[in-house]
Amino acid sequence: MSKGLTMHIRELTSRAGVAERQVRYLIAEGFIPPPRGGRSNAEYGDDHVAAIDRYVRLRDLGFPPAAIKLLLQSREGVPFPVSPGITLVVDPSLLATGAPVQPVIDTLRSLLTDLFKEQAHAHDARHD
């Protein structure tokens, strides 16, 4: 991920709205990458802000730190059961990014409508 704008810890905490102590915890626990440039010249970028935002959003949704860690470490996608027989698998890099949801909803609605229509038609044909 590109680093974009570089900033020092005070700028990062101001932009992300978290305390310096929280940033150090998030780095130590692997929720955000370590700074570039070493301890004396530590620099942070937009990727750090995005990682903090993702962590805070997931936490605010009720996920405990251990669950957030598992979600973010998932390489093959995070399964979310939607209803019996339907599980949505989400790429961990998309979690809590603020990406637009409506296009996904529209696509899923169309896909499910088509799938269920086909199932209903096949069911009707079997019973004729």
Side-chain angles (χ1 to χ4, degrees), residues 80-124:
F80 290 94
V82 176
S83 69
I86 299 176
T87 301
L88 180 65
V89 178
V90 178
D91 181 331
S93 67
L94 295 174
L95 293 174
T97 61
V101 175
Q102 195 58 50
V104 175
I105 292 170
D106 295 342
T107 301
L108 286 171
R109 178 178 289 117
S110 176
L111 176 64
L112 290 171
T113 299
D114 289 347
L115 285 172
F116 287 172
K117 279 182 186 173
E118 290 176 23
Q119 290 290 19
H121 179 70
H123 177 73
D124 291 344

Side-chain angles (χ1 to χ4, degrees), residues 5-73:
L5 173 73
T6 60
M7 61 194 96
H8 296 286
I9 188 78
R10 288 197 169 123
E11 295 164 294
L12 174 67
T13 58
S14 176
R15 276 191 64 197
V18 297
E20 186 174 326
R21 182 174 151 193
Q22 179 77 4
V23 170
R24 297 199 190 289
Y25 163 79
L26 294 172
I27 292 169
E29 292 297 318
F31 293 112
I32 66 173
R36 292 174 280 279
R39 289 180 77 103
S40 61
N41 262 344
E43 290 186 343
Y44 302 87
D46 292 332
D47 54 330
H48 292 92
V49 175
I52 292 169
D53 288 346
R54 182 174 44 247
Y55 174 84
V56 169
R57 286 183 186 155
L58 290 169
R59 185 195 63 205
D60 290 349
L61 287 170
F63 289 94
I68 295 171
K69 191 174 283 192
L70 287 173
L71 291 172
L72 297 177
Q73 290 174 347

